[in-house]
Amino acid sequence: MINRTAIEKAKEHFGKLMEAQMERMVRMKNEPDWVDYTKISPIKIGILPGDGIGPYIAAEAERVLRYMLEDEIKKGKIYIATIEGLTIENRAAHNKAIPDDVLEEIKKYHVTLKGPTTTPRKGDPWPNIESCNVAMRKELDLFANVRPVRVPRQGIDWIFFRENTEDLYALGPYGIDVDEDFSIDFRLISTPGAIRIIRMAFEYARKNKRTKITCVTKANVVKTTDGRFLENFYNIAKEYPEIQADDWYIDIMTAKLVDEKRRREFQVLVMPNMWGDILTDEAAEFQGGVGTAGAANIGKQYAMFEAIHGSAPRMVQEGRAQYADPASMIRAAAMLINHIGYVDKARKLEMALDICGQYEKKLVITGRPTGATGKAFTDYLIEWLNNPKLEETWEGYVKG
Ligand code: IPM
Ligand code: MG
């Protein structure tokens, strides 16, 4: 027996989603151009500590940020403050991914540095609210998730441009339980959405003299949506004849990243949201795991920088939060500093992070009392930032 009522209900639900998406298309086509940070004073930086180990590592990341931007803060060019309320307790109390007053506050800052926030799932003690990362990306239209992965000694120097607002994530919380037997989720790729991320990746490649760009899809199977993404990729590629463009399917791509000879060839990679989610975790593993990677969520008006790992509530329950590794969030801080225009300072911070985390390793973080605390590690890092031999030491390590 076909349940016509269930089908009609599903169609109505689907209709509403399509209406909202069409409105989004209009907004995207009329979006304002990129903000120019050189024309803003002060640039307002908001710190969102998050929950779990978040506040612990955020405190260290903020300390580094203030240290790096000390002069600018004194001169009134930069303003840094903490934004309260983005904790799982407060979000659960409002039953919202981001409570309204918190979102309003966030929008007063040009850029934010965010600690991990707990994402509830079915069965957790929390209401099953949407991930706050995903909500923030949508609310502030942070369409580009930029994740660099570098392991200089292995010849790895990748930068991933993951689309950040569409694909399975756009309608992730709005699927339908059609009847008691089956459910449907929706995958969405739009031309304006694909164009803006693909163009950003090509522009990055051109500006940074990268010679190759790779698009990752599963267009052989997911023909309509990934097909649209891929078609836009090759259309835009024609405007950048100096950059070699190719494409791979996500399955073989995950394999090629472990192929030590082939993986060095990849430089700039661009892909829809879900493939990017998976691939960037794999890629970060070569650099030392997701704990070492930072991510930039960039839109034309706002930008948010975050650690890509979770909030590790167990570390807090077991009284080990002070041993959490702040490196990922400090990497995110480096990306923030770069994004607002202080390229040399960001480079310095990245060098110090490489020395402390990958090469010299005078202090090692294990997440337990067997290792250093996040605070001790940050002190060690700041010591290196003060060291006039930072650059030459880093070069020495990289050359091996
Ligand atoms: C990430 C995370 C998030 C995502 C989760 C926490 C919702 O895995 O930033 O990659 O899937 O995007
Ligand atoms: Mg992820």
Side-chain angles (χ1 to χ4, degrees):
M1 257 290 281
I2 289 177
N3 182 346
R4 300 273 167 212
T5 323
I7 294 179
E8 285 313 311
K9 241 182 97 195
K11 278 197 209 160
E12 198 184 311
H13 177 95
F14 183 69
K16 283 197 190 119
L17 296 181
M18 294 310 102
E19 265 174 42
Q21 286 306 316
M22 285 189 179
E23 281 165 14
R24 193 173 72 88
M25 295 305 125
V26 175
R27 284 203 300 278
M28 247 194 295
K29 286 180 190 159
N30 296 319
E31 70 191 353
D33 208 0
W34 291 96
V35 330
D36 179 354
Y37 293 105
T38 62
K39 299 211 171 92
I40 297 175
S41 187
I43 300 173
K44 293 179 77 182
I45 304 174
I47 312 277
L48 292 156
D51 42 66
I53 57 170
Y56 296 83
I57 61 173
E60 301 310 328
E62 179 174 353
R63 191 148 70 92
V64 174
L65 201 56
R66 286 189 183 277
Y67 176 83
M68 298 300 300
L69 299 171
E70 207 175 345
D71 291 342
E72 289 72 19
I73 296 171
K74 272 195 204 130
K75 287 186 203 139
K77 284 203 218 157
I78 303 258
Y79 170 80
I80 303 180
T82 298
I83 304 170
E84 307 287 346
L86 205 66
T87 59
I88 183 67
E89 292 81 9
N90 193 39
R91 287 155 53 221
H94 287 83
N95 202 12
K96 273 205 125 162
I98 309 173
D100 294 340
D101 55 335
V102 180
L103 182 60
E104 207 179 297
E105 194 58 27
I106 289 173
K107 286 188 174 168
K108 293 182 189 155
Y109 290 80
H110 302 101
V111 291
T112 46
L113 180 63
K114 183 182 149 303
T117 43
T118 303
T119 301
R121 57 174 180 193
K122 262 190 181 163
D124 277 0
W126 308 108
N128 199 8
I129 43 179
E130 186 182 14
S131 145
C132 134
N133 307 37
V134 175
M136 220 167 135
R137 293 167 187 169
K138 282 187 203 164
E139 289 290 348
L140 305 180
D141 205 16
L142 309 173
F143 65 86
N145 197 318
V146 186
R147 297 181 167 178
V149 170
R150 285 185 206 101
V151 190
R153 275 184 184 170
Q154 293 177 22
I156 293 178
D157 190 357
W158 301 322
I159 183 155
F160 293 85
F161 287 82
R162 164 188 172 191
E163 202 290 323
N164 216 16
T165 49
E166 301 200 333
D167 190 354
L168 284 168
Y169 286 73
L171 298 169
Y174 308 115
I176 314 176
D177 288 320
V178 179
D179 65 8
E180 57 285 4
D181 290 328
F182 73 104
S183 307
I184 291 191
D185 273 314
F186 302 101
R187 182 168 202 260
L188 178 152
I189 301 276
S190 73
T191 294
I195 287 179
R196 59 186 185 175
I197 184 75
I198 294 167
R199 193 169 288 291
M200 191 176 167
F202 272 102
E203 281 299 307
Y204 175 90
R206 178 171 276 174
K207 253 189 228 132
N208 293 278
K209 307 224 170 354
R210 297 299 197 96
T211 51
K212 183 180 162 78
I213 180 163
T214 302
C215 182
V216 184
T217 68
K218 187 71 185 176
N220 52 341
V221 176
V222 198
K223 293 185 191 294
T224 316
T225 44
D226 267 356
R228 185 184 283 264
F229 195 89
L230 195 55
E231 193 185 330
N232 277 297
F233 174 77
Y234 280 118
N235 279 342
I236 293 173
K238 289 181 207 143
E239 296 172 38
Y240 300 81
E242 80 278 20
I243 302 165
Q244 186 205 337
D246 70 353
D247 79 279
W248 292 74
Y249 297 133
I250 180 65
D251 49 351
I252 188 66
M253 188 73 225
T254 57
K256 285 299 148 199
L257 285 198
V258 257
D259 178 337
E260 285 182 21
K261 281 198 202 102
R262 295 301 299 280
R263 68 182 179 194
R264 293 186 196 150
E265 293 167 15
F266 299 113
Q267 300 179 17
V268 180
L269 301 100
V270 63
M271 67 218 69
N273 210 339
M274 182 56 93
W275 311 140
D277 179 43
I278 299 167
L279 207 58
T280 54
D281 267 15
E282 186 197 5
E285 198 65 24
F286 302 119
Q287 184 182 272
V290 290
T292 60
N297 295 269
I298 297 173
K300 294 191 176 171
Q301 295 301 297
Y302 296 102
M304 181 263 277
F305 300 81
E306 64 181 339
I308 77 169
H309 55 75
S311 59
R314 196 180 312 154
M315 286 189 80
V316 182
Q317 280 154 25
E318 294 172 3
R320 300 188 276 118
Q322 70 272 34
Y323 297 104
D325 191 349
S328 56
M329 217 174 150
I330 299 175
R331 283 229 181 249
M335 295 177 87
L336 184 157
I337 293 170
N338 176 295
H339 184 71
I340 60 173
Y342 299 98
V343 180
D344 293 338
K345 285 180 194 265
R347 221 173 92 76
K348 235 180 110 177
L349 180 50
E350 270 163 9
M351 285 177 183
L353 278 162
D354 287 347
I355 293 176
C356 299
Q358 291 198 24
Y359 300 123
E360 188 191 56
K361 295 196 200 169
K362 215 169 73 191
L363 288 186
V364 178
I365 295 216
T366 60
R368 305 185 171 272
T370 50
T373 60
K375 183 175 179 307
F377 180 84
T378 308
D379 289 339
Y380 167 43
L381 185 82
I382 292 177
E383 235 171 75
W384 263 111
L385 286 168
N386 266 321
N387 190 327
K389 293 212 164 115
L390 175 70
E391 196 147 336
E392 66 183 82
T393 309
W394 182 85
E395 265 159 23
Y397 276 122
V398 171
K399 285 187 191 124

